[in-house]
Amino acid sequence: MTNEAKHINAMPTKAFFVDMLVRDIPTERAILDLVDNCIDGAKRLRPGNDPDFDGLWVKIHIDGDRFEITDNCGGFDTDTAINYAFRFGRPADAKSTDYSIGQFGVGMKRALFKFGRYFEVHSTTEAEKWSVEVDVSEWEDDGTWQFDFAELIEDGDFPPEERGTRIVVDKLRPEIANRFSSDYFRRGLAETIRAHQRQFLSAGLAIEFNGQHLTQTDLRVFSGGSYSPVVEEVTFDAATDTPVLVRIIAGIADSKPSNAGWYVVCNGRVILSADRSEATGWNSVADQKDGIPKFHNQYARFRGIVFFDCSSSQKLPWNTTKTGLDETSAIWQSVFPKMLDHTRTIIKFLNRLDEEVEEYGKNSPTLSALAKEASALDVEKIRGSKSFAFNKNPKAPGPKMTKIQYSREVDKIRVLMDALGVGSAKAVGETTFDMILAEQGEEE
């Protein structure tokens, strides 16, 4: 035998491949990948930039024995199953969904193998109905890299209420069974789904998790009267068939530190939520003359949102797991300076507001005018470029106020608390101030 006729076997074992495939993906992310595939089905049914998903639903159930996700989002056909959905990696000629977030690259297979040792996939379209049932241990012992259909109907006429996809995973891995049994994990997962899929929930898609109907997370900014968030809309690669539409919104909302920061949304999927890290420009003041300070509660009213939308999801600035930024993306690097500019604008306003609140307290003229003129709007409803605006000469609702601060020995303050019949050091200060003022008034 010649050297040319001999080959070294480099084929990985299936067990090794599966173990490597699932090792680094967090469980929550694997479930989000499956939800993404359902949403891509919804997008195929209701295409467009501003779709209405009312009537479409996704139901997820997890417990210590089983994972199940079901949708009525149209299903996927046998051609997709045979050539794309179950292949490891995304072929160059794979079908694509405009503005997709799933893409059948690796997410579905990775989730199935990560969760357990047995899975079923059932899908029904208008004309086809099929299913695959796989015992992973038996498949690993089989020499072929194929899955067989358990059911296949290719010439049907199935009504809309039967169209959709159902995935079941049994024989859960021990670590997955433990997590799925945990109330703490389930509560966190429900919040993660609410946060990441908020735009689709807002568009009418119903997502049910263990029987609980999930609602969208609150993401609104004040607008109305003389108040307006800044909105900048730009298009990249405008001359191509796949332009990237970018909409940046920055403004103010209710004071809530846990909700403050930047949100980055790619094709509707929230990949960064309430981010206050250097990735979105915070804490850069030491490095740049006009940098952004480190976040603290003075900026608890800040809200910034960047929407990226493109029919080709590969052009979006997200990482391969769609859970974070690809900061090397040329489009992200073009948008980032704009975000910094808008952050500075809002911070300047919030610094001014902080000084005013320090002076007027609850009678801040700006806060009073804000409450009277503006209302909180869902960010998805805010369109059209505009500059940041606010009432620059609000009328004070009462007399101008200022704070008095001083310190005294605790024992002496307690003496006055007892003497005055009040319960706090603050009350001692206010009561004694009023007493002296009254005396001055009598003298005058």
Side-chain angles (χ1 to χ4, degrees):
M1 183 180 292
T2 64
N3 289 342
E4 290 74 13
K6 295 182 177 179
H7 299 285
I8 296 173
N9 186 358
M11 180 70 73
T13 66
K14 290 180 179 177
F16 171 80
F17 183 84
V18 168
D19 182 58
M20 295 300 293
L21 182 69
V22 306
R23 179 167 295 180
D24 296 328
I25 181 75
T27 307
E28 299 90 337
R29 303 303 180 194
I31 294 174
L32 284 176
D33 279 341
L34 296 178
V35 178
D36 286 347
N37 288 341
C38 300
I39 292 171
D40 276 349
K43 289 186 172 187
R44 288 191 293 273
L45 282 178
R46 312 271 178 87
N49 293 332
D50 193 17
D52 179 3
F53 292 147
D54 188 45
L56 300 180
W57 49 259
V58 179
K59 297 180 180 179
I60 307 158
H61 179 84
I62 65 172
D63 58 37
D65 298 317
R66 163 181 281 218
F67 169 89
E68 182 171 347
I69 183 169
T70 310
D71 69 52
N72 70 340
C73 299
F76 58 98
D77 57 27
T78 54
D79 181 60
T80 300
I82 291 170
N83 296 304
Y84 309 112
F86 289 93
R87 291 189 64 177
F88 295 96
R90 181 175 177 77
D93 62 344
K95 298 176 181 178
S96 63
T97 300
D98 285 350
Y99 304 97
S100 73
I101 57 176
Q103 291 286 7
F104 289 127
V106 70
M108 184 181 77
K109 287 83 69 177
R110 183 167 51 190
L112 299 179
F113 286 120
K114 183 174 183 66
F115 296 164
R117 302 292 292 175
Y118 175 86
F119 63 81
E120 298 176 8
V121 180
H122 306 259
S123 197
T124 303
T125 65
E126 181 177 2
E128 298 179 328
K129 183 176 184 179
W130 60 269
S131 66
V132 169
E133 300 174 1
V134 177
D135 184 292
V136 177
S137 296
E138 294 177 1
W139 177 76
E140 287 177 345
D141 292 336
D142 185 353
T144 66
W145 287 75
Q146 297 176 350
F147 301 112
D148 295 325
F149 284 106
E151 179 184 22
L152 179 59
I153 301 173
E154 296 181 283
D155 56 353
D157 183 14
F158 299 99
E161 60 270 21
E162 293 185 17
R163 300 170 196 166
T165 300
R166 174 173 172 260
I167 295 174
V168 178
V169 184
D170 280 335
K171 298 183 180 178
L172 300 182
R173 292 171 181 259
E175 67 275 16
I176 296 297
N178 287 337
R179 302 207 78 187
F180 284 3
S181 299
S182 164
D183 289 338
Y184 176 79
F185 174 80
R186 291 196 289 253
R187 285 195 297 271
L189 177 60
E191 288 304 307
T192 299
I193 295 172
R194 288 181 66 220
H196 283 269
Q197 313 296 12
R198 70 168 309 280
Q199 191 165 336
F200 307 110
L201 291 167
S202 176
L205 180 71
I207 300 181
E208 185 180 297
F209 177 73
N210 276 13
Q212 173 191 2
H213 181 74
L214 301 183
T215 57
Q216 67 190 81
T217 53
D218 178 46
L219 185 51
R220 297 182 289 179
V221 295
F222 285 119
S223 183
S226 50
Y227 290 87
S228 170
V230 57
V231 183
E232 182 175 6
E233 297 177 336
V234 292
T235 301
F236 295 91
D237 294 343
T240 71
D241 294 334
T242 54
V244 180
L245 310 179
V246 180
R247 183 162 52 102
I248 307 171
I249 300 174
I252 53 176
D254 288 329
S255 179
K256 194 171 184 179
S258 61
N259 287 4
W262 277 101
Y263 295 72
V264 179
V265 186
C266 291
N267 276 359
R269 167 78 113 84
V270 180
I271 64 168
L272 280 186
S273 181
D275 186 85
R276 302 182 287 271
S277 72
E278 295 180 10
T280 52
W282 295 94
N283 198 23
S284 60
V285 69
D287 303 327
Q288 305 172 33
K289 181 180 178 182
D290 298 322
I292 308 299
K294 184 178 181 179
F295 179 85
H296 51 84
N297 287 350
Q298 181 176 328
Y299 307 129
R301 293 179 179 276
F302 178 90
R303 301 291 188 278
I305 308 95
V306 191
F307 296 95
F308 294 89
D309 289 288
C310 181
S311 60
S312 175
S313 61
Q314 296 177 348
K315 298 176 75 171
L316 299 178
W318 50 13
N319 60 20
T320 56
T321 58
K322 299 167 291 180
T323 56
L325 284 170
D326 174 7
E327 296 182 44
T328 65
S329 159
I331 288 179
W332 174 257
Q333 293 178 8
S334 297
V335 170
F336 187 62
K338 299 178 184 296
M339 295 168 59
L340 294 181
D341 287 343
H342 299 319
T343 303
R344 290 189 195 99
T345 299
I346 305 303
I347 281 181
K348 184 178 179 181
F349 168 82
L350 292 175
N351 286 338
R352 167 180 164 160
L353 177 62
D354 186 63
E355 293 175 0
E356 188 181 280
V357 170
E358 182 73 18
E359 186 171 351
Y360 287 92
K362 295 180 180 178
N363 292 324
S364 157
T366 297
L367 289 181
S368 298
L370 179 66
K372 183 178 180 180
E373 298 180 28
S375 58
L377 295 183
D378 287 336
V379 295
E380 286 82 5
K381 297 178 181 176
I382 299 174
R383 306 275 177 172
S385 296
K386 59 186 75 174
S387 300
F388 181 67
F390 59 98
N391 190 335
K392 294 182 172 59
N393 297 294
K395 183 179 179 181
K400 188 175 182 179
M401 309 284 279
T402 191
K403 286 186 176 180
I404 301 173
Q405 291 181 312
Y406 57 88
S407 301
R408 289 294 183 272
E409 295 174 38
V410 172
D411 290 344
K412 293 180 179 177
I413 292 176
R414 286 175 177 162
V415 169
L416 288 182
M417 287 171 61
D418 292 339
L420 297 170
V422 297
S424 67
K426 178 184 177 184
V428 168
E430 292 173 344
T431 303
T432 54
F433 178 90
D434 292 342
M435 291 171 62
I436 298 301
L437 184 64
E439 290 179 7
Q440 293 296 316
E442 290 176 359
E443 290 177 0
E444 292 174 357

PDB file of all heavy atoms in Angstrom, residues 226-228 252 345 349 352 366 373 387-394:
ATOM      1  N   SER A 226     -42.151  70.001  27.643  1.00  0.00           N
ATOM      2  CA  SER A 226     -40.832  70.489  27.221  1.00  0.00           C
ATOM      3  C   SER A 226     -39.738  69.456  27.458  1.00  0.00           C
ATOM      4  O   SER A 226     -38.556  69.770  27.322  1.00  0.00           O
ATOM      5  CB  SER A 226     -40.495  71.780  27.972  1.00  0.00           C
ATOM      6  OG  SER A 226     -40.699  71.618  29.361  1.00  0.00           O
ATOM      7  N   TYR A 227     -40.137  68.222  27.791  1.00  0.00           N
ATOM      8  CA  TYR A 227     -39.154  67.162  28.047  1.00  0.00           C
ATOM      9  C   TYR A 227     -39.127  66.178  26.874  1.00  0.00           C
ATOM     10  O   TYR A 227     -40.179  65.766  26.376  1.00  0.00           O
ATOM     11  CB  TYR A 227     -39.485  66.409  29.335  1.00  0.00           C
ATOM     12  CG  TYR A 227     -39.268  67.241  30.575  1.00  0.00           C
ATOM     13  CD1 TYR A 227     -40.287  68.067  31.048  1.00  0.00           C
ATOM     14  CD2 TYR A 227     -38.061  67.228  31.241  1.00  0.00           C
ATOM     15  CE1 TYR A 227     -40.089  68.856  32.175  1.00  0.00           C
ATOM     16  CE2 TYR A 227     -37.855  68.010  32.364  1.00  0.00           C
ATOM     17  CZ  TYR A 227     -38.863  68.816  32.826  1.00  0.00           C
ATOM     18  OH  TYR A 227     -38.661  69.604  33.926  1.00  0.00           O
ATOM     19  N   SER A 228     -37.926  65.822  26.469  1.00  0.00           N
ATOM     20  CA  SER A 228     -37.765  64.852  25.390  1.00  0.00           C
ATOM     21  C   SER A 228     -36.436  64.123  25.543  1.00  0.00           C
ATOM     22  O   SER A 228     -35.419  64.743  25.854  1.00  0.00           O
ATOM     23  CB  SER A 228     -37.795  65.557  24.022  1.00  0.00           C
ATOM     24  OG  SER A 228     -37.422  64.658  22.994  1.00  0.00           O
ATOM     25  N   ILE A 252     -34.249  60.243  30.633  1.00  0.00           N
ATOM     26  CA  ILE A 252     -34.393  60.079  32.075  1.00  0.00           C
ATOM     27  C   ILE A 252     -35.674  59.301  32.375  1.00  0.00           C
ATOM     28  O   ILE A 252     -36.631  59.329  31.600  1.00  0.00           O
ATOM     29  CB  ILE A 252     -34.420  61.441  32.793  1.00  0.00           C
ATOM     30  CG1 ILE A 252     -35.488  62.347  32.178  1.00  0.00           C
ATOM     31  CG2 ILE A 252     -33.053  62.094  32.742  1.00  0.00           C
ATOM     32  CD1 ILE A 252     -35.653  63.666  32.893  1.00  0.00           C
ATOM     33  N   THR A 345     -24.518  64.287  27.812  1.00  0.00           N
ATOM     34  CA  THR A 345     -25.656  65.220  27.823  1.00  0.00           C
ATOM     35  C   THR A 345     -26.586  64.927  28.992  1.00  0.00           C
ATOM     36  O   THR A 345     -27.004  65.839  29.722  1.00  0.00           O
ATOM     37  CB  THR A 345     -26.437  65.104  26.498  1.00  0.00           C
ATOM     38  OG1 THR A 345     -25.574  65.458  25.416  1.00  0.00           O
ATOM     39  CG2 THR A 345     -27.655  66.018  26.504  1.00  0.00           C
ATOM     40  N   PHE A 349     -27.314  67.043  32.715  1.00  0.00           N
ATOM     41  CA  PHE A 349     -28.644  67.372  33.243  1.00  0.00           C
ATOM     42  C   PHE A 349     -28.833  66.800  34.650  1.00  0.00           C
ATOM     43  O   PHE A 349     -29.332  67.479  35.557  1.00  0.00           O
ATOM     44  CB  PHE A 349     -29.726  66.821  32.301  1.00  0.00           C
ATOM     45  CG  PHE A 349     -31.106  66.852  32.895  1.00  0.00           C
ATOM     46  CD1 PHE A 349     -31.854  68.019  32.879  1.00  0.00           C
ATOM     47  CD2 PHE A 349     -31.640  65.710  33.490  1.00  0.00           C
ATOM     48  CE1 PHE A 349     -33.127  68.051  33.449  1.00  0.00           C
ATOM     49  CE2 PHE A 349     -32.907  65.740  34.051  1.00  0.00           C
ATOM     50  CZ  PHE A 349     -33.648  66.911  34.042  1.00  0.00           C
ATOM     51  N   ARG A 352     -27.038  68.768  37.281  1.00  0.00           N
ATOM     52  CA  ARG A 352     -27.782  69.998  37.570  1.00  0.00           C
ATOM     53  C   ARG A 352     -28.997  69.686  38.448  1.00  0.00           C
ATOM     54  O   ARG A 352     -29.287  70.399  39.412  1.00  0.00           O
ATOM     55  CB  ARG A 352     -28.219  70.637  36.257  1.00  0.00           C
ATOM     56  CG  ARG A 352     -29.258  71.737  36.423  1.00  0.00           C
ATOM     57  CD  ARG A 352     -29.627  72.325  35.075  1.00  0.00           C
ATOM     58  NE  ARG A 352     -30.873  73.094  35.187  1.00  0.00           N
ATOM     59  CZ  ARG A 352     -31.247  74.020  34.331  1.00  0.00           C
ATOM     60  NH1 ARG A 352     -30.472  74.317  33.302  1.00  0.00           N
ATOM     61  NH2 ARG A 352     -32.385  74.654  34.495  1.00  0.00           N
ATOM     62  N   THR A 366     -37.597  71.371  38.817  1.00  0.00           N
ATOM     63  CA  THR A 366     -37.475  70.511  37.633  1.00  0.00           C
ATOM     64  C   THR A 366     -38.283  69.226  37.802  1.00  0.00           C
ATOM     65  O   THR A 366     -38.988  68.796  36.881  1.00  0.00           O
ATOM     66  CB  THR A 366     -35.996  70.171  37.376  1.00  0.00           C
ATOM     67  OG1 THR A 366     -35.289  71.381  37.098  1.00  0.00           O
ATOM     68  CG2 THR A 366     -35.850  69.223  36.188  1.00  0.00           C
ATOM     69  N   GLU A 373     -45.586  67.718  33.313  1.00  0.00           N
ATOM     70  CA  GLU A 373     -45.593  67.808  31.851  1.00  0.00           C
ATOM     71  C   GLU A 373     -45.416  66.471  31.136  1.00  0.00           C
ATOM     72  O   GLU A 373     -46.003  66.245  30.078  1.00  0.00           O
ATOM     73  CB  GLU A 373     -44.461  68.747  31.389  1.00  0.00           C
ATOM     74  CG  GLU A 373     -44.583  70.174  31.879  1.00  0.00           C
ATOM     75  CD  GLU A 373     -43.435  71.027  31.366  1.00  0.00           C
ATOM     76  OE1 GLU A 373     -42.907  70.716  30.288  1.00  0.00           O
ATOM     77  OE2 GLU A 373     -43.054  71.986  32.055  1.00  0.00           O
ATOM     78  N   SER A 387     -33.523  66.066  19.725  1.00  0.00           N
ATOM     79  CA  SER A 387     -32.498  66.411  20.711  1.00  0.00           C
ATOM     80  C   SER A 387     -33.068  66.288  22.119  1.00  0.00           C
ATOM     81  O   SER A 387     -34.287  66.355  22.327  1.00  0.00           O
ATOM     82  CB  SER A 387     -31.996  67.842  20.474  1.00  0.00           C
ATOM     83  OG  SER A 387     -31.444  67.970  19.187  1.00  0.00           O
ATOM     84  N   PHE A 388     -32.168  66.171  23.087  1.00  0.00           N
ATOM     85  CA  PHE A 388     -32.601  66.137  24.484  1.00  0.00           C
ATOM     86  C   PHE A 388     -33.127  67.514  24.879  1.00  0.00           C
ATOM     87  O   PHE A 388     -32.522  68.544  24.567  1.00  0.00           O
ATOM     88  CB  PHE A 388     -31.423  65.747  25.376  1.00  0.00           C
ATOM     89  CG  PHE A 388     -31.786  65.669  26.828  1.00  0.00           C
ATOM     90  CD1 PHE A 388     -32.652  64.690  27.295  1.00  0.00           C
ATOM     91  CD2 PHE A 388     -31.274  66.579  27.738  1.00  0.00           C
ATOM     92  CE1 PHE A 388     -32.988  64.607  28.632  1.00  0.00           C
ATOM     93  CE2 PHE A 388     -31.602  66.511  29.082  1.00  0.00           C
ATOM     94  CZ  PHE A 388     -32.468  65.524  29.530  1.00  0.00           C
ATOM     95  N   ALA A 389     -34.258  67.528  25.540  1.00  0.00           N
ATOM     96  CA  ALA A 389     -34.870  68.800  25.924  1.00  0.00           C
ATOM     97  C   ALA A 389     -35.505  68.674  27.295  1.00  0.00           C
ATOM     98  O   ALA A 389     -35.958  67.598  27.691  1.00  0.00           O
ATOM     99  CB  ALA A 389     -35.928  69.211  24.894  1.00  0.00           C
ATOM    100  N   PHE A 390     -35.520  69.785  28.011  1.00  0.00           N
ATOM    101  CA  PHE A 390     -36.171  69.814  29.325  1.00  0.00           C
ATOM    102  C   PHE A 390     -36.566  71.256  29.632  1.00  0.00           C
ATOM    103  O   PHE A 390     -36.139  72.206  28.961  1.00  0.00           O
ATOM    104  CB  PHE A 390     -35.243  69.276  30.417  1.00  0.00           C
ATOM    105  CG  PHE A 390     -33.949  70.029  30.566  1.00  0.00           C
ATOM    106  CD1 PHE A 390     -33.809  71.005  31.545  1.00  0.00           C
ATOM    107  CD2 PHE A 390     -32.871  69.787  29.729  1.00  0.00           C
ATOM    108  CE1 PHE A 390     -32.628  71.714  31.690  1.00  0.00           C
ATOM    109  CE2 PHE A 390     -31.680  70.492  29.868  1.00  0.00           C
ATOM    110  CZ  PHE A 390     -31.561  71.456  30.846  1.00  0.00           C
ATOM    111  N   ASN A 391     -37.399  71.419  30.615  1.00  0.00           N
ATOM    112  CA  ASN A 391     -37.854  72.750  31.015  1.00  0.00           C
ATOM    113  C   ASN A 391     -36.715  73.481  31.703  1.00  0.00           C
ATOM    114  O   ASN A 391     -36.318  73.114  32.817  1.00  0.00           O
ATOM    115  CB  ASN A 391     -39.067  72.608  31.943  1.00  0.00           C
ATOM    116  CG  ASN A 391     -39.736  73.938  32.212  1.00  0.00           C
ATOM    117  OD1 ASN A 391     -39.099  74.989  32.128  1.00  0.00           O
ATOM    118  ND2 ASN A 391     -41.015  73.904  32.527  1.00  0.00           N
ATOM    119  N   LYS A 392     -36.179  74.496  31.045  1.00  0.00           N
ATOM    120  CA  LYS A 392     -34.996  75.183  31.576  1.00  0.00           C
ATOM    121  C   LYS A 392     -35.349  76.248  32.603  1.00  0.00           C
ATOM    122  O   LYS A 392     -34.474  76.745  33.320  1.00  0.00           O
ATOM    123  CB  LYS A 392     -34.191  75.812  30.421  1.00  0.00           C
ATOM    124  CG  LYS A 392     -33.578  74.788  29.479  1.00  0.00           C
ATOM    125  CD  LYS A 392     -32.762  75.468  28.397  1.00  0.00           C
ATOM    126  CE  LYS A 392     -31.988  74.449  27.559  1.00  0.00           C
ATOM    127  NZ  LYS A 392     -32.858  73.467  26.897  1.00  0.00           N
ATOM    128  N   ASN A 393     -36.595  76.633  32.668  1.00  0.00           N
ATOM    129  CA  ASN A 393     -36.997  77.652  33.644  1.00  0.00           C
ATOM    130  C   ASN A 393     -38.273  77.213  34.375  1.00  0.00           C
ATOM    131  O   ASN A 393     -39.307  77.888  34.305  1.00  0.00           O
ATOM    132  CB  ASN A 393     -37.223  78.992  32.938  1.00  0.00           C
ATOM    133  CG  ASN A 393     -35.957  79.526  32.305  1.00  0.00           C
ATOM    134  OD1 ASN A 393     -34.998  79.866  33.004  1.00  0.00           O
ATOM    135  ND2 ASN A 393     -35.948  79.573  30.968  1.00  0.00           N
ATOM    136  N   PRO A 394     -38.194  76.095  35.065  1.00  0.00           N
ATOM    137  CA  PRO A 394     -39.397  75.630  35.761  1.00  0.00           C
ATOM    138  C   PRO A 394     -39.719  76.532  36.951  1.00  0.00           C
ATOM    139  O   PRO A 394     -38.824  77.087  37.595  1.00  0.00           O
ATOM    140  CB  PRO A 394     -39.004  74.230  36.223  1.00  0.00           C
ATOM    141  CG  PRO A 394     -37.527  74.304  36.402  1.00  0.00           C
ATOM    142  CD  PRO A 394     -37.042  75.219  35.312  1.00  0.00           C
TER     143      PRO A 394
END
